[in-house]
């Protein structure tokens, strides 16, 4: 099976509505000729409908950075899968390490969010990754196994055909310190095997596994050459349309 690469931009808590629209429009113009890579941007919730309108009919796909697992209810400040879908969202990032670290997300809530997203036809991007301390202690694979296994436990593989997995070592996020090619290759192969044993061989084949953590125009080509790397989840370097375009058009 060939997997079309996905280069995704996580805009985190950056950009107001007008700023997000401006960047999205520039990106859409600069990437109008890109056919071999799926491009996604995930602005803040309030920007989603504005950006959806601005990129309609272009090659840019829209993602959200989070969702709540309930469909509706008294959950002040939360957003449901239906709300995202109606706003024009296609992908949703789930279990980003910043949400695990600062907002107390657990593998259990991640599991429910994946289920809620898949049930509404949103494409979940499940984020996993070890901290510096976990790697130093030799627990990288143990950590990843738990995050993937618990995050996907009990899911029908039929509902995971659009699953995307993002390997983001916590120590590489926003630090300028990218994981080395050998480290990335080792983990991505491990994750592919994990999907096969924990979910299904079909899921292992269809799932795009992205690398994230200080991805830049200078290192994207080397990362994309690594076996089992099917794209990138980009933070800081996705905020500028020119820089992100240079990542999308890696060679
Ligand atoms: P940086 O690219 O800024 O390291 O962020 C990566 C990330 O967290 C994407 O989700």
């Amino acid at each position: 099976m060939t997997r079309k690469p996905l280069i995704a931009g996580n805009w985190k808590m950056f950009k107001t509505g007008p700023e997000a629209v401006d960047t999205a429009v520039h990106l859409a113009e600069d990437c109008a000729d890109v056919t071999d890579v799926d491009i996604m941007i995930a602005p803040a919730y309030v920007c989603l409908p504005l950006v959806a309108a601005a990129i309609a009919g272009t090659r840019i796909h829209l993602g959200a950075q989070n969702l709540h697992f309930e469909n509706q209810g008294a959950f002040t400040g939360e957003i449901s899968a239906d709300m995202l879908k109606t706003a024009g969202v296609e992908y949703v990032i789930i279990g980003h390490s910043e949400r695990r670290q600062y907002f107390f997300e657990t593998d259990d809530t991640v599991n429910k969010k994946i289920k809620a997203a898949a049930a509404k036809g949103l494409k979940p991007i499940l984020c996993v990754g070890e901290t510096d301390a976990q790697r130093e202690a030799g627990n990288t694979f143990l950590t990843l196994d738990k995050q993937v296994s618990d995050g996907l436990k009990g899911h029908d593989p039929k509902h995971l055909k659009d699953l995307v997995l993002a390997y983001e070592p916590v120590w590489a996020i926003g630090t300028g310190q990218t994981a080395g090619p050998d480290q990335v290759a080792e983990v991505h192969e491990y994750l592919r095997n994990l999907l096969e044993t924990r979910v299904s061989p079909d899921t292992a084949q269809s799932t795009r596994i992205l690398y994230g953590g200080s991805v830049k125009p200078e290192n994207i080509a080397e990362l994309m050459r690594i076996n089992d790397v099917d794209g990138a989840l980009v933070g800081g370097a996705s905020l500028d349309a020119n820089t992100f375009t240079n990542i999308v058009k890696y060679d």
Side-chain angles (χ1 to χ4, degrees), residues 56-237:
T58 74
R59 298 203 178 273
I60 313 298
H61 300 258
L62 190 61
Q65 300 173 19
N66 183 30
L67 83 168
H68 193 272
F69 49 81
E70 293 291 347
N71 205 33
Q72 58 177 20
F75 300 103
T76 301
E78 294 295 325
I79 306 275
S80 74
D82 257 346
M83 294 170 187
L84 295 180
K85 204 60 191 164
T86 311
V89 169
E90 183 181 345
Y91 291 88
V92 57
I93 298 169
I94 295 175
H96 190 280
S97 63
E98 286 152 15
R99 295 221 49 91
R100 294 177 191 257
Q101 189 181 351
Y102 304 129
F103 304 100
F104 315 111
E105 292 233 355
T106 63
D107 291 326
D108 182 49
T109 54
V110 165
N111 184 294
K112 291 177 179 159
K113 288 178 179 202
I114 302 248
K115 193 165 283 176
K120 296 293 175 186
L122 291 168
K123 298 172 179 164
I125 302 181
L126 167 58
C127 298
V128 298
E130 80 286 2
T131 62
D132 205 14
Q134 286 164 330
R135 179 165 279 270
E136 288 299 309
N139 288 333
T140 298
F141 294 129
L142 198 72
T143 304
L144 297 170
D145 187 358
K146 185 174 180 322
Q147 289 171 340
V148 170
S149 303
D150 290 356
L152 299 177
K153 190 169 54 190
H155 291 272
D156 184 338
K158 281 204 294 289
H159 298 152
L160 296 176
K161 60 179 178 24
D162 293 322
L163 177 71
V164 178
L165 195 58
Y167 169 55
E168 299 204 305
V170 178
W171 47 269
I173 295 177
T175 59
Q177 195 188 338
T178 320
D182 291 347
Q183 287 172 320
V184 176
E186 185 183 37
V187 169
H188 279 236
E189 185 186 4
Y190 175 80
L191 290 172
R192 182 91 54 210
N193 290 334
L194 205 52
L195 287 171
E196 178 157 348
T197 51
R198 298 283 190 243
V199 189
S200 77
D202 282 352
T203 307
Q205 284 311 306
S206 64
T207 299
R208 290 179 285 187
I209 307 181
L210 315 184
Y211 169 79
S214 298
V215 173
K216 304 180 273 271
E218 295 76 29
N219 58 25
I220 182 69
E222 182 179 34
L223 287 162
M224 292 301 290
R225 275 196 297 272
I226 300 170
N227 221 8
D228 285 314
V229 172
D230 303 309
L233 184 53
V234 187

